[in-house]
Amino acid sequence: MSVLVVLEQQGGKWHRMSLEALAAGVELAKLAGVPCLAAVAGKGVGALAAEAAAKGAAKVFAVDHELLDTYTSDGFVVALEQVVRAAGATYVVFPHTYQVRDFAPRLATRFGRALVSDVIAIRNDNGLVFVRQLFQGKLNADFRAAGSGPVFLSIQAGAFRMDSLPATSGESAAFTPELAAASIRIKA
């Protein structure tokens, strides 16, 4: 059982929302009483994984593969499914970005789950509750996870503060997914 935060990088630099998602993951891990893990996918992402391990995650997976050098939803879904299963993730947290909106719903359906998008708050109210806004912020809706399997959620921009991340000495670990060129149908 763990929280797995999927961090987004572009060209070896963090997407600005990745650390906000990590802050949400750290908070969720405290509420759930489980460790916070993270993953960053691409080619040559070991240095980024080591950097994230110093910002609140107990362990960061450098999901490194030649076929992940250029983003494709096919490649990310196959690779991240393997990471989610290997980590034994109970909760999977994403920054709410265009890239995540492209692949995360497909990843969630591989587990028979839905993606709770644009989460603005997490609280423990006789179980974990995920809050998201509806009707352009006019209403807040509370979501509780039902059933088994990981809970997938994306974090709305600005909802969690990256300056709240604790300095830690987590570890980074290489993770090489089993990925074949034939499994990537979309070409850049």
Side-chain angles (χ1 to χ4, degrees):
M1 293 178 50
S2 65
V3 171
L4 178 68
V5 181
V6 177
L7 305 169
E8 184 177 326
Q9 59 88 26
Q10 297 166 345
K13 298 193 185 309
W14 292 119
H15 186 284
R16 65 178 179 81
M17 285 190 54
S18 286
L19 297 180
E20 293 178 17
L22 186 55
V26 168
E27 183 176 320
L28 175 57
K30 284 181 188 172
L31 289 171
V34 297
C36 180
L37 311 176
V40 57
K43 180 182 168 197
V45 293
L48 286 172
E51 182 183 329
K55 296 184 187 253
K59 184 176 189 176
V60 181
F61 298 100
V63 185
D64 205 323
H65 198 283
E66 184 75 30
L67 294 173
L68 298 175
D69 187 26
T70 301
Y71 168 76
T72 64
S73 60
D74 291 333
F76 271 56
V77 167
V78 170
L80 292 173
E81 178 184 8
Q82 294 171 40
V83 176
V84 170
R85 292 189 191 285
T90 310
Y91 302 95
V92 183
V93 179
F94 304 94
H96 191 76
T97 65
Y98 290 114
Q99 182 173 301
V100 165
R101 289 191 295 208
D102 185 42
F103 77 84
R106 283 184 51 206
L107 178 60
T109 58
R110 285 194 171 212
F111 291 86
R113 307 294 287 172
L115 172 72
V116 180
S117 63
D118 280 323
V119 170
I120 60 167
I122 303 166
R123 69 175 190 275
N124 193 342
D125 183 14
N126 292 326
L128 290 171
V129 176
F130 306 101
V131 181
R132 70 179 301 263
Q133 294 180 324
L134 302 173
F135 302 112
Q136 297 179 337
K138 292 178 176 68
L139 294 174
N140 285 349
D142 292 350
F143 291 86
R144 290 181 191 268
S148 63
V151 176
F152 293 85
L153 52 119
S154 69
I155 303 301
Q156 187 178 87
F160 294 84
R161 297 183 52 97
M162 68 178 118
D163 59 1
S164 70
L165 286 169
T168 57
S169 57
E171 66 175 294
S172 62
F175 186 94
T176 306
E178 292 183 26
L179 207 68
S183 64
I184 299 177
R185 301 168 296 172
I186 300 168
K187 305 296 178 197

